[in-house]
Amino acid sequence: MAFLFKSSAERGRVWGEAFARLAPDVPFRTWPDIGDAADIRYLAAWTVTRDLLHGLPNLEVLFSVGAGVDQLDLSQVPAPVKVVRMMEPGLTDGMVQYATFATLALHREMLDYRQAQADHRWAPRPLLPADGRRVGVMGLGNLGKAVLAALRPFGFPLRGWSRSGGTVEGVEIFAGADALPAFLSGCDILICLLPLTGDTRGILCRKSFHLLPRGAAIINVGRGGHLVEADLLAALDSGHLSGAVIDVLNTEPAAADHPFWSHPRILLTPHVASQTRDDSSAEVLIANIRRHQAGQTMQGQVDRTRGY
Ligand SMILES: NC(=O)c1ccc[n+]([C@@H]2O[C@H](COP(=O)([O-])OP(=O)(O)OC[C@H]3O[C@@H](n4cnc5c(N)ncnc54)[C@H](OP(=O)(O)O)[C@@H]3O)[C@@H](O)[C@H]2O)c1
């Protein structure tokens, strides 16, 4: 019963130490030195090849080292293998910080002040109180809910949208595709925290932008595949949207001539909104192995039919 690690060397060092301390009964192996492939019950990786997956006859769980599983081709993962995405406090903390920063940057019109500074213009603007700026979050999972909780004390009117709805204290909730237009119509700042699936690919598109109020701004911290980049440029250039904070792109890293690099209404960051933290993620992963061994559902276990 061994664990196979296939990710960065530094994370491997931290995780190897955590396994030695917390799970000495689970031998820790680092790809490509897998030893006897028949021993491997658990595999943690960002991406895996079909050959690797099918060369592990006793694999029980595939752990993604990131918050999503969209980088994996789930159709290549043998049916009995459980798939688990990363849900750990370091990832949540990073996302809360980034989404709060991006919301405040847009609310406090930092794109305009960035331009004014570049132009040497001293150009104060009236300050809109937070209760005049409606913020909406698409995706009410682990991260979406944490971001909403962090934004609440500022006084923004908050709304959230997800497949199944539910309740979140202090947040107006919209559920399902039919409710998307009503949700979007009340978002001055829209934050995308959806997983990338067949249903959500391209959801930030011309049609959605036109359902947002004129002057709205977007923050994409989901995946690059959520955004139709040409539609964002058109909506910004027409003035319908006022700005965007973009952390993820369809193709990363951005090409040298990508139009987002120099767009005055876009703040672009290189997929850094949050990152799996090596120490806290090791503990979460080992706790999940223990759950699995006890026949319990693991935290972050993916519903393979839904794709998230
Ligand atoms: N930029 C970065 O650095 C970074 C870092 C971490 C994560 N992320 C992204 O953030 C995403 C969200 O993470 P999470 O941990 O919060 O995920 P999660 O817990 O799985 O939550 C996903 C949420 O999205 C909703 N959803 C899924 N499909 C939908 C659809 N078709 N229509 C409406 N709602 C839908 C789900 O609705 P239900 O509640 O009804 O199931 C759920 O509320 C990840 O998948 C990843 O892509 C980005």
Side-chain angles (χ1 to χ4, degrees):
M1 185 211 15
F3 174 88
L4 179 60
F5 175 83
K6 180 177 175 284
S7 180
S8 70
E10 173 54 17
R11 178 170 296 154
R13 192 188 58 73
V14 175
W15 282 22
E17 282 172 15
F19 270 74
R21 199 164 27 91
L22 302 171
D25 53 313
V26 184
F28 186 90
R29 299 198 186 146
T30 302
W31 183 86
D33 299 326
I34 68 174
D36 183 353
D39 293 344
I40 308 293
R41 302 286 166 89
Y42 315 110
L43 167 64
W46 175 244
T47 54
V48 279
T49 60
R50 188 179 185 283
D51 285 353
L52 174 59
L53 279 173
H54 289 262
L56 303 174
N58 297 316
L59 187 66
E60 295 175 12
V61 188
L62 170 60
F63 293 97
S64 167
V65 296
V69 293
D70 51 284
Q71 78 286 1
L72 299 168
D73 180 354
L74 293 183
S75 69
Q76 298 294 339
V77 183
V81 174
K82 294 180 171 134
V83 179
V84 178
R85 68 200 173 78
M86 186 53 76
M87 273 176 73
E88 61 92 18
L91 260 172
T92 310
D93 290 349
M95 187 56 76
V96 163
Q97 290 168 14
Y98 186 98
T100 304
F101 147 77
T103 302
L104 292 176
L106 292 169
H107 170 58
R108 297 301 308 267
E109 304 181 319
M110 287 300 149
L111 294 173
D112 295 283
Y113 291 122
R114 180 178 68 170
Q115 189 61 54
Q117 182 179 357
D119 299 344
H120 297 204
R121 269 188 299 113
W122 192 264
R125 300 159 68 92
L127 173 55
L128 183 74
D131 62 9
R133 189 90 68 187
R134 299 160 298 176
V135 179
V137 175
M138 308 174 93
L140 300 173
N142 185 41
L143 300 179
K145 281 185 180 153
V147 164
L148 282 161
L151 291 176
R152 212 173 149 212
F154 291 102
F156 300 114
L158 297 174
R159 46 178 52 204
W161 177 75
S162 72
R163 213 173 40 82
S164 59
T167 53
V168 181
E169 203 183 340
V171 180
E172 188 181 358
I173 299 294
F174 297 77
D178 292 348
L180 184 59
F183 165 75
L184 291 172
S185 70
C187 295
D188 299 309
I189 295 176
L190 174 70
I191 304 173
C192 177
L193 263 170
L194 291 164
L196 184 62
T197 67
D199 290 334
T200 64
R201 183 174 290 281
I203 196 164
L204 299 175
C205 62
R206 182 177 181 277
K207 192 172 161 206
S208 298
F209 296 153
H210 281 275
L211 292 164
L212 291 169
R214 188 170 177 80
I218 70 159
I219 298 167
N220 189 18
V221 275
R223 289 283 182 255
H226 289 128
L227 176 67
V228 181
E229 294 175 2
D231 289 3
L232 175 63
L233 289 171
L236 289 170
D237 294 346
S238 74
H240 183 71
L241 293 187
S242 61
V245 180
I246 302 294
D247 184 54
V248 282
L249 292 178
N250 274 284
T251 303
E252 298 174 1
D257 60 350
H258 196 289
F260 288 9
W261 283 121
S262 53
H263 199 289
R265 308 305 308 174
I266 295 176
L267 179 60
L268 177 67
T269 54
H271 201 144
V272 290
S274 80
Q275 286 166 0
T276 299
R277 197 176 135 168
D278 295 339
D279 52 357
S280 44
S281 62
E283 290 173 20
V284 165
L285 186 127
I286 291 167
N288 256 342
I289 290 178
R290 297 306 186 206
R291 283 191 192 93
H292 174 71
Q293 289 172 333
Q296 297 163 359
T297 305
M298 288 169 280
Q299 228 180 56
Q301 197 166 318
V302 168
D303 176 336
R304 293 184 54 174
T305 52
R306 288 188 322 194
Y308 72 94

